[in-house]
Amino acid sequence: MSEVRFDPVSRVSGELVAPPDKSISHRAAILGAMSDGPVRIRGYLRAADTAATLEAVTELGARLSGAQPRGAGTDLELVGAGLRGADPGADEIDVGNAGTLLRILPGWLAGQPRGTWTLDGDETIRRRPVDRVAHPLRRMGANVDFREGGLPPMVVEGADLHGIEYELPVASAQVKSCVLLAGLLADGDTTVVEQIPSRDHTEIMLRAAGADVRTEGGRVSVSGLRRLELSEVDVPGDFSSAAFFIVAATIVPGSELTLRGVGVNPTRTGLLGILERMGGDVQITERVGAGGEPVGDIVVRAAALGGTDVAAPEIPCTIDELPLVALLGAFAEGRVSVHGAEELRRKESDRISTVVNGLRALGARIEEAPDGFMIEGTGGLAGGAIDAAGDHRLAMLGALAGLASREGVTVENFDVAGVSYPGFADDLRGVVR
Ligand code: S3P
């Protein structure tokens, strides 16, 4: 498998357009497939995860009527299958490595008038729990099943659904989205209650598609609907991909980098608050993009960092960036702690142990906790080797560690970065000096 070396650099500078948002791309394809009529998706992310979603929805009856590459994305024209029109003939759905597809799609399928589908994927997806979506769907009247331990393959049979009120036991935008999509097909109202807000891309896009989404405090409600009409989506740059560059420019002294067109929805940008407390230098010029998602240009300069504590309320809006918080901690002078993040153990890898073991092997003073980690910053990292462990974000974390380290880092199995960001290594080469 691929082994890539990342040597120390003298600075990070220039400009970069972040690749399109993965979460929003998944939702655009799924809500597009659920819609009647054509949907134009500008800048659909070209990556392994989102390719799996496009393939799944076309198998389920959506039709791709145009595709034109643009940057790291593709401008697509999709003709939906309709809210109750999923093709019952498509019995096997391969979700690949895409947890978001695995958890959101069943919301649509569970309410279909007919059909039975099996959702399965690669080796790592078979370790990602699906009982978290099966439980609320069953309460709505769905026929769903899964393997022992709450794991995929997951079988979904179309059924008549009724609305429920569901309090999320774990903060999860995937579970919230799944229940809301099923709610569109259910009799009556469906309400999801969340203690801490998770990303709200589904709510924003559903409104654009004509659904009446009511939010009040931590409650999100939808009602059963006859049809969904998403007509266009402009996918902004992915904050979670841009975050790697925000961190690179922060920890490599002398850096200054501009990131263009990044989605800055506050349910995603917890890293910025954490970085600010640590002494980071990040400025944003924000505007509202087409489709209701906030978009911004971000200017980052290198900064000397101190410690901070990150607790439960900040976890959902920083969930995919917590490995980067650990890396920032290694380059800080002071102590960084993260708690309330046990969900990290259920990501593409057990991200508490892969991050802790990976960074420790590079010279970090980091300790594992059941729900997070503590790191004593020493202002830098020696270097060495790190295995991506089948996790795209770990592969990219290793690359950053390398360019800011004293001796460089070899990332084993680096290829997996293509799950969310196939152009990552090229983009990085373009901004390092
Ligand atoms: C996602 C939600 C988060 C996140 C994942 C994408 C989404 O997962 O970690 O990368 O697109 O809804 P959870 O819903 O499990 O928190």
Side-chain angles (χ1 to χ4, degrees):
M1 289 286 279
S2 64
E3 196 180 274
V4 183
R5 175 88 188 153
F6 293 90
D7 286 317
V9 299
S10 31
R11 68 199 159 88
V12 178
S13 67
E15 277 196 22
L16 188 74
V17 178
D21 190 279
K22 178 156 85 77
S23 283
I24 296 175
S25 294
H26 282 305
R27 286 159 171 79
I30 296 171
L31 268 61
M34 296 169 72
S35 292
D36 285 310
V39 186
R40 290 170 57 90
I41 306 173
R42 275 186 290 274
Y44 185 85
L45 173 66
R46 214 162 45 245
D49 251 24
T50 43
T53 298
L54 206 51
E55 188 136 323
V57 299
T58 47
E59 266 175 47
L60 287 162
R63 195 165 48 78
L64 198 58
S65 59
Q68 184 69 41
R70 184 162 54 86
T74 306
D75 291 342
L76 296 179
E77 280 185 24
L78 198 65
V79 181
L83 195 53
R84 291 172 178 80
D87 186 346
D91 48 352
E92 292 275 339
I93 306 291
D94 182 2
V95 304
N97 191 252
T100 304
L101 174 61
L102 173 70
R103 268 72 165 267
I104 294 187
L105 195 63
W108 181 34
L109 300 180
Q112 294 303 300
R114 58 188 192 286
T116 303
W117 301 270
T118 302
L119 280 69
D120 200 2
D122 69 13
E123 199 189 310
T124 69
I125 211 81
R126 285 208 163 191
R127 299 197 293 265
R128 313 281 304 274
V130 287
D131 49 352
R132 54 181 57 197
V133 293
H135 290 145
L137 289 177
R138 277 181 179 158
R139 278 194 44 208
M140 298 178 81
N143 288 324
V144 288
D145 216 343
F146 45 78
R147 192 160 54 95
E148 214 182 291
L151 301 172
M154 179 170 181
V155 181
V156 186
E157 187 185 350
D160 289 335
L161 304 182
H162 53 81
I164 57 166
E165 174 164 324
Y166 187 68
E167 182 158 349
L168 294 178
V170 287
S172 166
Q174 294 172 353
V175 179
K176 172 176 64 175
S177 301
C178 177
V179 175
L180 292 177
L181 295 195
L184 301 175
L185 289 143
D187 275 343
D189 295 343
T190 295
T191 299
V192 178
V193 183
E194 48 182 2
Q195 297 300 334
I196 308 172
S198 63
R199 63 190 70 188
D200 61 357
H201 305 307
T202 302
E203 295 90 309
I204 290 174
M205 205 180 291
L206 278 177
R207 282 196 188 105
D212 178 22
V213 182
R214 285 97 59 198
T215 48
E216 202 203 320
R219 299 166 64 84
V220 190
S221 305
V222 294
S223 309
L225 205 68
R226 292 171 70 85
R227 50 196 280 140
L228 205 58
E229 282 177 52
L230 188 66
S231 56
E232 51 183 352
V233 179
D234 256 322
V235 184
D238 196 322
F239 182 82
S240 297
S241 299
F244 287 94
F245 292 88
I246 295 175
V247 169
T250 298
I251 60 179
V252 177
S255 297
E256 175 170 343
L257 185 69
T258 302
L259 294 152
R260 300 262 179 227
V262 183
V264 288
N265 181 318
T267 61
R268 293 286 296 280
T269 55
L271 176 73
L272 298 180
I274 294 168
L275 203 44
E276 192 179 353
R277 293 202 299 277
M278 294 178 76
D281 183 351
V282 181
Q283 275 152 29
I284 306 181
T285 344
E286 192 180 321
R287 59 188 183 274
V288 177
E293 290 281 353
V295 182
D297 293 337
I298 301 179
V299 179
V300 193
R301 293 185 187 84
L305 302 175
T308 191
D309 295 319
V310 179
E314 266 181 325
I315 299 300
C317 62
T318 319
I319 187 74
D320 294 334
E321 287 64 68
L322 292 170
L324 286 169
V325 174
L327 185 66
L328 287 169
F331 283 84
E333 302 277 356
R335 188 167 199 269
V336 170
S337 75
V338 171
H339 288 291
E342 43 281 280
E343 268 298 297
L344 277 183
R345 296 198 183 276
R346 290 177 199 88
K347 295 296 174 189
E348 286 81 334
S349 66
D350 171 345
R351 279 191 187 148
I352 294 181
S353 71
T354 53
V355 167
V356 167
N357 295 332
L359 291 182
R360 190 183 287 146
L362 304 180
R365 286 168 52 189
I366 183 166
E367 294 299 327
E368 183 167 339
D371 64 342
F373 46 80
M374 290 81 64
I375 181 157
E376 290 293 341
T378 54
L381 273 182
I386 186 169
D387 190 300
D391 187 334
H392 55 127
R393 298 206 195 276
L394 206 69
M396 296 186 278
L397 186 78
L400 294 202
L403 48 103
S405 67
R406 292 187 289 276
E407 295 151 22
V409 168
T410 301
V411 184
E412 284 147 26
N413 300 309
F414 179 78
D415 277 359
V416 71
V419 158
S420 64
Y421 197 164
F424 173 75
D426 288 339
D427 282 355
L428 198 59
R429 266 179 228 118
V431 295
V432 295
R433 321 284 153 197

